[in-house]
Amino acid sequence: MLAKKAIVLPLLKHFLAGNKISGSSNANDSRRTRRPEDPFSAVEMPLGIQKMKNMEILSHVQVSDCGGELTVIAQLLKLRKLGVALRSKNAKLDDLLRQIENLSACLRSLSIRIDQTAAGPENQGARIPDALHLFPNFIERLSTRGIASGLIYIKDHHQLSKLTLSETFLGENDVRILGRLSKLRGLLLLHNSYTAGSQLSFKAEEFQCLRSLVVDCSGITNMSFDNGAAPNLEMIVWSFTTLEALSGLHNLWRIKKLELNGDCDRLDSVTEEIIWSSGHPNYPEIKHNPRKQHQEDGATAAEASSSSAP
């Protein structure tokens, strides 16, 4: 809660607020302080923020009245990173995207969180596609939660270099769209980001620039890489409840790190495929964190954090 009286700090550059959601889909993972199904935490838009002309980072603020609050954001002409949580029936996605257009010269990182239960019908399901044609094509780093209408709106946005998705309920065709983004280097698939079945496939000629892949989506139990898919991939971090199959690793000649979080009895076969069978030139690091160890590590980290807190 911020003071109702306007706060003006003309030299302020970074305004960071709220609790960041880690995206873990594993309820037993105590290393995560919040789970993605928990409500997203943000502060109300500070009064007088339009006078903070040096603002570069504003994240995350809650918008409940787009008419007034988003107008002031559009006046921050040095803003390069913006995080917004849309709540209440008066907070409309199309209003947000129209105001962001005014920041095309500076804004490069955007995070949008939509609270479907609180935002009202204007921001739910059928109405969201009406606004997506307004999606800015100058954003390089995008994080979305609650926009569950497919990714057709970014199919031609080839400047995107990092994409974080949660509660997007992607289908197989959406993954194909992502695979054609020519500059995408980092992809994070978090809670309920992909719900088209247990198999996540990376097809030939897709994800040509991808360097980092993080998958923390409980419904995915199988992952495969065709020959020619993600040829520049260097790191995979996969958190799961069940690992049924991980295939095609011998096709990833640039892989340097593979981290598996969860109970897995197939580690020997994974190791054999990625190193011994293929004679992999990088001898990549393979790390396995069983669920029990994951919990113990989290408890130790939590205790250390608690003891060192002021």
Side-chain angles (χ1 to χ4, degrees), residues 92-94 120-133 149:
K92 301 180 179 64
L93 181 60
D94 53 352
E122 291 85 353
N123 276 326
Q124 293 182 8
R127 291 299 303 274
I128 288 180
D130 296 339
L132 293 180
H133 71 281
S149 300

Side-chain angles (χ1 to χ4, degrees), residues 19-40 113 145 164-167 188-193 214-219 237-241 259 261-262 289 291 294-295 298:
N19 291 327
K20 183 178 181 180
I21 293 178
S22 66
S24 173
S25 58
N26 185 354
N28 294 319
D29 185 353
S30 60
R31 231 188 325 196
R32 312 288 190 174
T33 57
R34 297 174 62 83
R35 296 195 302 272
E37 61 267 24
D38 295 332
F40 187 80
R113 300 292 186 269
R145 181 187 182 208
T164 302
L165 302 174
S166 177
E167 304 287 345
L188 289 81
L189 298 176
L190 305 182
H191 182 68
N192 280 340
S193 57
V214 176
V215 178
D216 194 351
C217 190
S218 59
V237 178
W238 184 11
S239 300
F240 48 81
T241 53
E259 180 176 330
N261 299 317
N289 300 312
R291 186 177 304 175
H294 219 37
Q295 293 171 340

Side-chain angles (χ1 to χ4, degrees), residues 143-156:
S143 175
T144 69
R145 181 187 182 208
I147 300 181
S149 300
L151 294 179
I152 193 68
Y153 60 97
I154 63 170
K155 67 174 183 177
D156 297 320

Side-chain angles (χ1 to χ4, degrees), residues 62-127:
Q62 177 176 311
V63 172
S64 56
D65 179 8
C66 284
E69 292 167 329
L70 292 178
T71 301
V72 302
I73 289 180
Q75 298 177 41
L76 303 176
L77 301 181
K78 294 184 179 180
L79 198 63
R80 55 185 175 83
K81 182 176 182 179
L82 173 64
V84 174
L86 294 179
R87 294 195 174 117
S88 91
K89 63 181 181 179
N90 294 322
K92 301 180 179 64
L93 181 60
D94 53 352
D95 289 342
L96 171 63
L97 298 179
R98 285 191 179 95
Q99 293 298 332
I100 286 175
E101 280 293 335
N102 297 320
L103 301 174
S104 60
C106 57
L107 190 65
R108 294 297 177 264
S109 178
L110 176 63
S111 174
I112 301 175
R113 300 292 186 269
I114 295 180
D115 185 346
Q116 295 281 8
T117 60
E122 291 85 353
N123 276 326
Q124 293 182 8
R127 291 299 303 274

